[in-house]
Amino acid sequence: MLHDVKRDFKIVYLLGAGFSSALTDGKAPLTGELGDKLKNSFPDEMKQRFNFTPDNIESFFTKLDLEVLRLKELKQDYSKLEEIRRKASREIIDIFATKKLFCIENGKIKISDSANIICKKLFQKNDTILTVNYDCALENILFTQDKWSTIGGWW
């Protein structure tokens, strides 16, 4: 159990992939699990063209996005790729929404109360948090608790 503790020193946390999953009692999927759920969302030609693998969906989306930008610049049709990207993004949102990891209230993302409490008690302002991946859930919680801002940047 976490208790409110005042301290006069700074802590450096190193968080690995899976922090959001742990924070949500396993409800938040790891990248590989998310990739497994998405693997049937793309035509086989797209998976081959952009090297889709369930454990590296970030690379797939990056390559897909870069191809859309390239086609835009060449003034060529990119609508099929953009539609696939939009569909996949919607599926990711639906996966997280159905697991009730967050909800939208007044136009803002609201993370579960238990995750907010854990982060409120664990992290204090001016602590350093190093992650091996982008963690939108953690960033949102810290932002709403006034412990982090994009103004300070990502390092």
Side-chain angles (χ1 to χ4, degrees), residues 76-100:
Q76 294 180 5
D77 183 31
Y78 55 88
S79 59
K80 182 179 177 185
L81 296 179
E82 203 166 57
E83 180 57 33
I84 289 169
R85 178 65 155 99
R86 196 175 3 264
K87 179 184 173 205
S89 295
R90 182 78 248 167
E91 285 186 46
I92 291 170
I93 290 167
D94 290 346
I95 288 167
F96 279 86
T98 58
K99 291 183 175 284
K100 304 211 182 313

Side-chain angles (χ1 to χ4, degrees), residues 59-137:
S59 175
F60 174 81
F61 281 118
T62 300
K63 291 173 185 175
L64 182 64
D65 292 344
L66 288 172
E67 181 64 5
V68 167
L69 290 173
R70 186 185 75 78
L71 292 173
K72 277 183 182 179
E73 195 166 298
L74 294 173
K75 299 188 183 342
Q76 294 180 5
D77 183 31
Y78 55 88
S79 59
K80 182 179 177 185
L81 296 179
E82 203 166 57
E83 180 57 33
I84 289 169
R85 178 65 155 99
R86 196 175 3 264
K87 179 184 173 205
S89 295
R90 182 78 248 167
E91 285 186 46
I92 291 170
I93 290 167
D94 290 346
I95 288 167
F96 279 86
T98 58
K99 291 183 175 284
K100 304 211 182 313
L101 298 176
F102 64 83
C103 62
I104 308 291
E105 283 185 6
N106 301 322
K108 295 182 180 177
I109 295 174
K110 182 178 183 295
I111 306 292
S112 74
D113 291 337
S114 61
N116 269 314
I117 291 168
I118 290 168
C119 288
K120 185 175 185 175
K121 293 182 180 215
L122 185 61
F123 306 120
Q124 293 188 16
K125 198 168 187 131
N126 297 319
D127 282 346
T128 299
I129 302 169
L130 306 171
T131 64
V132 298
N133 62 331
Y134 297 110
D135 196 321
C136 296

Side-chain angles (χ1 to χ4, degrees), residues 48 55 69 134 141:
Q48 291 170 355
D55 61 337
L69 290 173
Y134 297 110
I141 291 169

